[in-house]
């Protein structure tokens, strides 16, 4: 490898609302690009990513391997048309299996000012659909002065629809109002689900339920609330449009198909 250099550091992967865990990550560079990432825990190497680029130095694929299998357990492909156009993920059930468990396609749409306007996520396997609770998810973003101030997240016709308004303090999110409707298969109607305001100080601190006035501070409940509504991932997906380092951070942080 030419101009190869290795940098080892601690990446703080924070499962939202849980205590921080510290995962040693070794990033291997070639020609000033990250070409491999090795992930370890206390017992040793748990896996690694191989990263490929096009002639414009944009990431075209991230393949995840484990010590127990010679072929990747997760394959992520990225395509561009100026900006990131699509990403495609396929994952097997386990290191010892070739059965595809998770398969999804992301399609990115932009405004005339190149802001991310919409992400459509299509799930292509029964296990993927079961995990997501819907056959597809559409995330729509609205902006005020380049800041995302609104989210509208919808699933298929028999799942959910969620609208959010985001407020800021010094350009940092400090509150998100959430209005969720869930489809009731018995009544065949959308009915009121979660409704209230989530208050954030770097990570979610508490949620005020509008119907009951209750203040929820339990970390497990906040985790379920923030991730189960797809708000966390909708905001995190903005990283995918901001270049190679942000793309890598997104997949390392989530280490998932969404």
């Amino acid at each position: 490898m030419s101009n190869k250099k290795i940098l080892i550091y601690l990446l703080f992967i924070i499962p939202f609302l849980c205590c921080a865990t510290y995962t040693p990550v070794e990033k291997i560079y070639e020609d000033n690009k990250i070409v491999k990432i090795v992930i370890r825990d206390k017992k040793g190497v748990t896996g690694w990513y191989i990263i490929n680029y096009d002639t414009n130095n944009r990431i075209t694929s991230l393949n995840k391997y484990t010590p127990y299998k010679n072929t990747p357990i997760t394959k992520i492909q990225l395509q561009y048309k100026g900006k990131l156009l699509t990403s495609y993920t396929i994952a097997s059930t386990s290191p010892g299996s070739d059965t595809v468990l998770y398969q999804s396609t992301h399609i990115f749409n932009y405004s005339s000012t190149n802001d991310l306007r919409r992400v459509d996520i299509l799930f292509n396997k029964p296990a993927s659909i079961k995990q997501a609770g819907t056959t597809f998810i559409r995330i729509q973003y609205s902006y005020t002065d380049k800041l995302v101030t609104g989210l509208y997240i919808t699933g298929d016709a028999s799942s959910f629809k969620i609208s959010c308004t985001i407020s800021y303090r010094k350009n940092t999110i400090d509150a998100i109002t959430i209005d969720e409707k869930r489809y009731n298969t018995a009544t065949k109607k959308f009915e009121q689900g979660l409704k209230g305001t989530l208050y954030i100080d770097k990570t979610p601190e508490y949620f005020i339920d509008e119907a009951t006035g209750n203040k929820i501070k339990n970390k497990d409940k906040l985790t379920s609330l923030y991730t189960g509504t797809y708000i966390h991932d909708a905001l995190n997906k903005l990283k995918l449009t901001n270049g190679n380092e942000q793309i890598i951070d997104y997949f390392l942080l989530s280490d998932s198909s969404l």
Side-chain angles (χ1 to χ4, degrees), residues 102 121 123 128-134 136-139 141 151 153-155 160 162 164 180 182 223-237 258:
Y102 195 98
I121 309 164
F123 300 103
S128 308
I129 296 168
K130 183 177 180 181
Q131 180 179 334
T134 177
F136 76 91
I137 296 172
R138 170 167 288 179
I139 302 169
Y141 301 85
L151 293 173
I153 307 168
T154 55
F160 61 86
I162 302 166
C164 303
E180 174 191 55
R182 290 278 174 180
T223 298
S224 177
L225 183 157
Y226 200 32
T227 60
T229 55
Y230 296 98
I231 296 170
H232 163 217
D233 194 63
L235 294 172
N236 206 28
K237 280 192 194 307
L258 280 177

Side-chain angles (χ1 to χ4, degrees), residues 93-111:
T93 52
S94 66
S97 172
D98 291 319
T99 302
V100 172
L101 174 66
Y102 195 98
Q103 191 171 333
S104 68
T105 301
H106 288 54
I107 302 171
F108 299 84
N109 293 273
Y110 301 88
S111 68

Side-chain angles (χ1 to χ4, degrees), residues 133-134 136 154-161 181-184 190:
T134 177
F136 76 91
T154 55
D156 58 31
S158 58
S159 55
F160 61 86
K161 47 189 177 182
K181 303 291 194 305
R182 290 278 174 180
Y183 188 77
N184 186 321
F190 280 95

Side-chain angles (χ1 to χ4, degrees), residues 37-242:
I37 298 173
V38 181
I39 303 172
R40 294 179 173 84
D41 63 14
K42 293 179 180 179
K43 296 180 180 180
V45 173
T46 59
W48 57 90
Y49 285 89
I50 301 296
I51 303 169
N52 296 296
Y53 298 79
D54 62 14
T55 55
N56 293 316
N57 290 329
R58 298 175 301 194
I59 292 175
T60 55
S61 68
L62 298 92
N63 293 331
K64 184 181 180 181
Y65 296 79
T66 72
Y68 315 105
K69 193 173 182 181
N70 293 326
T71 55
I73 64 167
T74 302
K75 294 187 287 187
I76 302 162
Q77 298 176 339
L78 306 175
Q79 294 182 329
Y80 301 83
K81 189 175 181 180
K83 297 179 74 68
L84 179 63
L85 181 64
T86 63
S87 73
Y88 173 75
T89 298
I90 184 169
S92 60
T93 52
S94 66
S97 172
D98 291 319
T99 302
V100 172
L101 174 66
Y102 195 98
Q103 191 171 333
S104 68
T105 301
H106 288 54
I107 302 171
F108 299 84
N109 293 273
Y110 301 88
S111 68
S112 58
T113 55
N114 286 324
D115 296 313
L116 184 61
R117 180 171 61 92
R118 191 178 78 235
V119 182
D120 290 333
I121 309 164
L122 313 176
F123 300 103
N124 311 106
K125 289 289 179 181
S128 308
I129 296 168
K130 183 177 180 181
Q131 180 179 334
T134 177
T135 57
F136 76 91
I137 296 172
R138 170 167 288 179
I139 302 169
Q140 298 179 81
Y141 301 85
S142 60
Y143 295 81
T144 303
D145 298 328
K146 292 292 184 179
L147 293 175
V148 175
T149 52
L151 293 173
Y152 189 55
I153 307 168
T154 55
D156 58 31
S158 58
S159 55
F160 61 86
K161 47 189 177 182
I162 302 166
S163 60
C164 303
T165 301
I166 303 172
S167 61
Y168 293 79
R169 178 180 298 170
K170 297 181 179 179
N171 291 336
T172 301
I173 294 175
D174 70 346
I176 303 174
T177 63
I178 303 169
D179 187 356
E180 174 191 55
K181 303 291 194 305
R182 290 278 174 180
Y183 188 77
N184 186 321
T185 55
T187 63
K188 300 187 183 304
K189 294 180 180 179
F190 280 95
E191 298 178 355
Q192 187 66 54
L194 194 70
K195 190 172 185 180
T197 303
L198 179 66
Y199 292 89
I200 297 175
D201 183 7
K202 296 183 180 177
T203 60
E205 292 293 303
Y206 59 92
F207 176 77
I208 301 294
D209 189 300
E210 184 175 307
T212 64
N214 290 340
K215 184 176 185 179
I216 299 172
K217 299 185 71 174
N218 178 275
K219 295 299 183 183
D220 289 337
K221 290 182 179 179
L222 287 174
T223 298
S224 177
L225 183 157
Y226 200 32
T227 60
T229 55
Y230 296 98
I231 296 170
H232 163 217
D233 194 63
L235 294 172
N236 206 28
K237 280 192 194 307
L238 294 167
K239 290 183 176 182
L240 289 169
T241 65
N242 292 326

